[in-house]
Amino acid sequence: MGAFRSDLLAGQVAFVTGGATGIGNGIAHVLGRHGARIAIASRKVENLERAAAEFDAAGIECFYDTCDIREPEEVERVVAGVLERFGSLDILVNNAAGNFPAPMRKISYNGFRAVVGIDLLGTYNVSKAVFEAWMKDHGGNVVNISAPFEGMGVSLQSHVAAAKAGVDSLTRTCAVEWGPLGIRVNAIAPGEIAQTEGVARFEEAVGTRAEGSNPLGFAGATDDIGNVVLFLVSEASRFVSGQVFCVDGASGVDAFKLRVEPPTEPTDESS
Ligand code: NAP
């Protein structure tokens, strides 16, 4: 059983970019299970069709369209399609992203541009289109899916880390500029999420399995991200905006990566 009422988002519409696969798909299912109507968009129509059939089977109303979020005209067309189908657009989750782990010197100019183009400019394109077409007049909630790299150098991820730093910055600026219009903007930085493309590609590149390499000792599930999105788009977080939340089993704050057993007896040597 979830922590929230199943009709929490009844009457609301949520647009999740990249919502046909991985974390985005998990987020869309959590929002749909709590009453939202769902819109998803990405490039591969076969993934969109498969995902739409699954939403249908789960009793979740879904709109989908193909779109490359690097292209503002395509984004505007999809946003207009969502509004035509559902009549509102209350929640935006900027989840779509590209990634291929490689050392910076091996990344081509095109490859670096592609990742920044999808992760950062794509987030800007979709946010702006949704703002102009709906949220500036009606308010809403935006959640950007980032990565837990803030303040760090990140081997094999120079393009993603640079782009996500921009996403975090955009999150704070949009929260400040759009707050007076009733729009909250937050970000989630997922740690290792099991059975996702992101983790599979990284494990292949480094040749080891990452599973559970955090203090909690297990990989997160897509629902773990979906549930935090749900909190962030609900009234329970109505005073929360402009924040980046790491959802990573404490791996980002784990300085020494030691797994120390707690002592069985108190060891207070001062007494
Ligand atoms: P994924 O399954 O590969 O999802 C990425 C989605 O984005 C796909 O549905 C893809 O669909 C879509 N997409 C890519 N380029 C696009 C474009 N130009 N236009 C429109 N859609 C595009 O990856 P994931 O692992 O679930 O990652 C989802 C998000 O979580 C990303 O923002 C990622 O950076 C973040 N994240 C993931 C992890 C993890 O553990 N997996 C950790 C930290 C952060 P098409 O290819 O069909 O376009």
Side-chain angles (χ1 to χ4, degrees):
M1 199 176 88
F4 291 92
R5 288 192 333 257
S6 61
D7 64 349
L8 186 75
L9 302 179
Q12 297 201 42
V13 174
F15 178 26
V16 183
T17 64
T21 64
I23 292 174
N25 189 251
I27 293 169
H29 272 276
V30 170
L31 301 183
R33 283 204 298 272
H34 288 81
R37 287 167 292 167
I38 299 299
I40 56 174
S42 50
R43 294 163 303 176
K44 299 187 189 93
V45 71
E46 63 277 16
N47 287 346
L48 291 165
E49 285 170 352
R50 182 193 35 73
E54 288 167 4
F55 285 118
D56 198 40
I60 297 167
E61 208 181 329
C62 169
F63 167 89
Y64 68 88
D65 201 353
T66 53
C67 172
D68 185 333
I69 59 167
R70 286 171 291 185
E71 303 299 334
E73 300 76 23
E74 290 186 33
V75 171
E76 284 169 11
R77 191 202 71 235
V78 172
V79 170
V82 177
L83 288 171
E84 194 182 322
R85 167 75 180 270
F86 291 135
S88 68
L89 207 175
D90 312 281
I91 296 163
L92 167 63
V93 182
N94 280 304
N95 162 83
N99 190 2
F100 57 93
M104 184 172 150
R105 71 190 171 88
K106 299 259 184 189
I107 300 174
S108 67
Y109 295 115
N110 248 350
F112 199 95
R113 190 182 304 119
V115 169
V116 174
I118 301 168
D119 296 22
L120 176 55
L121 301 185
T123 296
Y124 165 79
N125 292 340
V126 182
S127 300
K128 185 174 167 71
V130 169
F131 176 82
E132 294 295 348
W134 182 261
M135 286 190 184
K136 71 174 166 33
D137 298 319
H138 302 89
N141 265 293
V142 180
V143 180
N144 297 324
I145 305 302
S146 184
F149 299 153
E150 191 160 301
M152 291 199 250
V154 193
S155 302
L156 308 180
Q157 298 280 273
S158 59
H159 41 11
V160 176
K164 297 294 193 181
V167 168
D168 293 351
S169 173
L170 209 54
T171 300
R172 291 185 278 265
T173 299
C174 290
V176 170
E177 290 193 356
W178 297 352
L181 299 172
I183 303 169
R184 292 191 294 113
V185 186
N186 289 289
I188 294 174
E192 174 206 354
I193 303 301
Q195 290 165 2
T196 57
E197 269 299 308
V199 168
R201 273 187 230 118
F202 194 77
E203 288 180 339
E204 196 185 323
V206 299
T208 57
R209 297 205 61 214
E211 188 155 347
S213 57
N214 64 64
L216 290 185
F218 59 89
T222 59
D223 270 18
D224 293 320
I225 304 302
N227 285 327
V228 181
V229 173
L230 184 62
F231 166 70
L232 288 175
V233 302
S234 75
E235 275 298 290
S237 65
R238 68 185 196 120
F239 200 46
V240 179
S241 194
Q243 301 302 311
V244 181
F245 295 91
C246 283
V247 181
D248 66 352
S251 72
V253 294
D254 185 9
F256 291 124
K257 316 276 184 230
L258 298 174
R259 296 292 168 262
V260 182
E261 291 289 321
T264 47
E265 299 294 328
T267 56
D268 185 351
E269 284 165 11
S270 63
S271 59

